[in-house]
């Protein structure tokens, strides 16, 4: 009887983390992402500077350099959002973090404000990959929506199903 109450949900919808144009992870100009070394996911070429929570969950990681954050979902997905490429070298400049590790967030909650004009001038790319870092464990199946234009916190980009 209690197992029924403790059972995790069987699927989760993941929403766009930024407004912009969806691109396949394979098209991200960085081998760590395009070869899926960090995990399965998508990327977005941003059109606005507000990065939001793509899922309901808990903030489990904030990079010291403010360029990335991680969220754990109720189903156990560990989702990493990486703002721009080679942005760790910016040492936090161009980023304003709005949350703390341990905070619970809902889809669409603002997490980071990014100055993409600054990032465009000082980093390799403004593309914002989002990957499920624990996808290599084989516990999830992914169903990608393939919607070309995204609205942060509103557009479904993929659904994850627990195997």
């Amino acid at each position: 009887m209690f197992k029924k109450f403790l059972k995790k949900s069987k699927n989760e919808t993941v929403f766009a983390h930024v407004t912009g144009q969806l691109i396949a992870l394979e098209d991200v100009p960085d081998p760590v992402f395009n070869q899926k070394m960090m995990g399965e996911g998508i990327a977005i070429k941003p059109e606005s500077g507000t990065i939001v929570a793509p899922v309901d969950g808990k903030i489990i990681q904030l990079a010291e350099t403010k360029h990335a954050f991680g969220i754990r979902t109720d189903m156990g997905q560990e989702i990493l959002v990486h703002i721009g490429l080679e942005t760790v070298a910016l040492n936090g400049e161009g980023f304003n973090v709005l949350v703390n590790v341990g905070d619970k967030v809902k889809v669409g909650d603002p997490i980071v404000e990014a100055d993409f004009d600054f990032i465009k001038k000082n980093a390799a790319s403004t593309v914002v990959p989002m990957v499920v870092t624990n996808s290599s464990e084989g516990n999830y199946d992914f169903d990608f929506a393939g919607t070309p234009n995204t609205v942060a916190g509103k557009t479904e980009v993929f659904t994850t199903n627990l195997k």
Side-chain angles (χ1 to χ4, degrees):
M1 179 172 168
F2 289 107
K3 284 185 181 180
K4 186 174 184 179
F5 293 111
L6 299 175
K7 199 166 193 170
K8 293 180 182 178
S9 42
K10 296 226 182 251
N11 59 55
E12 290 176 326
T13 300
V14 180
F15 293 85
H17 49 290
V18 65
T19 297
Q21 295 193 315
L22 185 78
I23 62 173
L25 205 56
E26 294 84 359
D27 295 333
V28 171
D30 184 309
V32 171
F33 292 104
N34 66 31
Q35 294 177 24
K36 301 184 181 180
M37 293 179 206
M38 295 287 294
E40 188 62 74
I42 56 100
I44 297 175
K45 184 175 181 185
E47 293 172 0
S48 77
T50 302
I51 315 301
V52 304
V55 291
D56 294 348
K58 182 178 180 180
I59 300 292
I60 58 169
Q61 176 190 12
L62 288 169
E64 267 186 52
T65 51
K66 305 177 185 178
H67 74 287
F69 63 90
I71 298 176
R72 182 177 297 119
T73 70
D74 289 341
M75 196 170 77
Q77 291 186 88
E78 294 180 358
I79 296 177
L80 173 75
V81 175
H82 194 283
I83 306 164
L85 301 178
E86 297 182 29
T87 48
V88 70
L90 301 178
N91 290 315
E93 195 171 346
F95 303 98
N96 180 31
V97 178
L98 306 170
V99 297
N100 296 298
V101 171
D103 286 356
K104 291 190 181 215
V105 294
K106 295 279 188 197
V107 170
D109 286 353
I111 306 294
V112 176
E113 292 171 346
D115 180 347
F116 283 114
D117 290 332
F118 177 81
I119 293 167
K120 185 183 276 184
K121 292 175 189 164
N122 295 287
S125 174
T126 60
V127 168
V128 185
M130 173 175 62
V131 296
V132 179
T133 58
N134 59 343
S135 60
S136 64
E137 295 172 4
N139 297 326
Y140 308 113
D141 286 323
F142 299 93
D143 183 20
F144 294 94
T147 308
N149 299 308
T150 65
V151 176
K154 304 269 188 222
T155 306
E156 294 181 17
V157 291
F158 63 89
T159 302
T160 308
N161 299 296
L162 194 58
K163 288 185 180 179

